[in-house]
Amino acid sequence: MMEEANDEQPEMVSHEEAVLAEKEATENLSLSLTGFPSSYSPLPVTLAAPSPLPAFLGKSLTSQIASPSPAPSVSRVSSSSQELPSFAKAPESPQIPHEGQVKVPEPGGGQQLAASLSSAGQGLFSWISGNSLVNRVVEKTKSSMETVITTLDPGMREVIYSGGDINIVVTSTKDSKVVPVRDAFQKVFGKATVSGKECQVTVAVQPVGFMAGVKGAEERISSLRKSGNIPHDLTVISIEGFIVEIVPDRWFEMSCLLLKDPRHDIELQTFSQPSLIPTEYVLTAQDKTPSDYPLRWSGLAVTIGEVIETAQPHIGHADWHMVLTGVSRCQSLQLALQSLAYMYKQKLPTSFIS
């Protein structure tokens, strides 16, 4: 009976065998859960910084964080099925909500965008064109550039400022008359075409008195129109110089400026500033005029310029105004012509000027 009792007692296990058995059980459990033994240690991997999420994903994830979903439940491992727990499955891609989807532009969207950009551009340009400060800067820059060009090449002035609706003919081809007319009218109107035509007069070479000056200017215009060298309705300006004794023994040289515009039925008349003439030159011109001079009723047979040039050869007959008075005839005429151009502009219809 004692032998039977000894046969049923359990077999004794050593400590080393118990530790080994526990290690094998742990490895089997880790292999069943993760697919890797417990002794497996992966190499360290350096991961790059995560890139920012798109706008619609950020919005979706923000909404998911605001309303967290319940934690996944861990199912027990079945030794027979060898299924992975729910947390070991690959995460599903987040669902993009309907609001976060990219909207396809409508067919007319491009036209609307172009229209809006066009309106914005028109608003900008209208603001620039309507801004007085910008306009002044542009005009100042333009004027400075034109001044530089005309200073370097005076002949460019006629090219830059010629044109427009103002077309004028001067009854002379002398630069001392044509240039002042061109400068004055281009300054007042911005652009003007001015040319000179030679004509004949039936008054004395040196007219004396206001009436002789006006008569000479009128005859120049009549002679030019009768010649047929210009259109009948073209605007004509005539300049006739004369001397006059404004006060006793005080003689002055002046010029009569006459403008006639048949197209708009405009006739204007003005005079240049007087330039003092020494009396001895006038007396010399009177002595050189024959008593039977046929045009003596209107003046003298010798001009004051010729007398001065004979008395002082270093002074030319066309430069004596500058030498005697300090103001050239061209400057004196330009001021008077600028006033004439301004009066002419006031008389013209607004539609013609614009």
Side-chain angles (χ1 to χ4, degrees), residues 64-335:
Q64 290 184 5
I65 294 173
S67 58
S69 59
S73 60
V74 181
S75 60
R76 294 182 179 273
V77 179
S78 173
S79 58
S80 61
S81 62
Q82 297 293 331
E83 294 180 356
L84 294 178
S86 60
F87 64 82
K89 296 180 180 179
E92 298 179 358
S93 59
Q95 297 294 331
I96 301 176
H98 179 70
E99 292 78 10
Q101 294 179 354
V102 180
K103 296 182 179 180
V104 179
E106 299 179 359
Q111 298 179 357
Q112 295 177 359
L113 177 61
S116 61
L117 292 177
S118 177
S119 61
Q122 291 177 359
L124 176 62
F125 287 116
S126 62
W127 177 84
I128 292 176
S129 61
N131 192 302
S132 58
L133 177 60
V134 175
N135 292 337
R136 287 198 298 269
V137 171
V138 173
E139 290 296 330
K140 187 67 176 178
T141 305
K142 179 182 177 183
S143 177
S144 300
M145 290 299 297
E146 291 174 349
T147 302
V148 172
I149 294 173
T150 54
T151 301
L152 296 176
D153 187 2
M156 287 297 295
R157 182 177 183 86
E158 182 178 358
V159 177
I160 294 174
Y161 297 105
S162 294
D165 297 329
I166 306 300
N167 191 2
I168 295 175
V169 172
V170 183
T171 59
S172 176
T173 56
K174 297 180 180 179
D175 289 342
S176 60
K177 294 182 179 181
V178 177
V179 173
V181 174
R182 181 184 295 118
D183 292 345
F185 276 78
Q186 288 178 349
K187 184 174 183 179
V188 173
F189 289 93
K191 285 184 175 295
T193 302
V194 179
S195 58
K197 296 287 185 180
E198 195 62 49
C199 60
Q200 301 295 327
V201 293
T202 59
V203 294
V205 175
Q206 179 60 73
V208 178
F210 284 96
M211 296 303 299
V214 174
K215 181 68 174 178
E218 291 178 345
E219 286 192 0
R220 286 180 180 272
I221 295 178
S222 299
S223 173
L224 184 59
R225 293 196 184 280
K226 290 178 180 179
S227 65
N229 294 330
I230 62 172
H232 175 72
D233 59 348
L234 190 63
T235 303
V236 180
I237 292 180
S238 180
I239 301 174
E240 185 66 39
F242 62 93
I243 61 175
V244 60
E245 188 179 15
I246 298 178
V247 295
D249 296 332
R250 291 293 184 271
W251 290 86
F252 297 87
E253 195 273 344
M254 300 177 66
S255 294
C256 174
L257 286 65
L258 181 62
L259 181 147
K260 288 189 176 183
D261 182 3
R263 180 180 177 184
H264 299 97
D265 194 20
I266 298 174
E267 182 174 342
L268 298 172
Q269 179 181 306
T270 187
F271 297 91
S272 66
Q273 69 177 31
S275 299
L276 180 63
I277 306 172
T279 307
E280 58 269 22
Y281 296 138
V282 177
L283 296 177
T284 302
Q286 291 176 350
D287 294 339
K288 290 185 176 182
T289 300
S291 57
D292 57 348
Y293 180 57
L295 299 176
R296 192 177 180 91
W297 62 271
S298 60
L300 306 175
V302 182
T303 64
I304 297 298
E306 293 174 354
V307 174
I308 295 176
E309 185 177 13
T310 302
Q312 302 185 31
H314 65 283
I315 302 177
H317 69 280
D319 301 329
W320 67 268
H321 295 80
M322 174 64 73
V323 176
L324 297 181
T325 64
V327 178
S328 65
R329 191 188 185 198
C330 185
Q331 294 173 333
S332 177
L333 289 177
Q334 187 170 356
L335 291 176

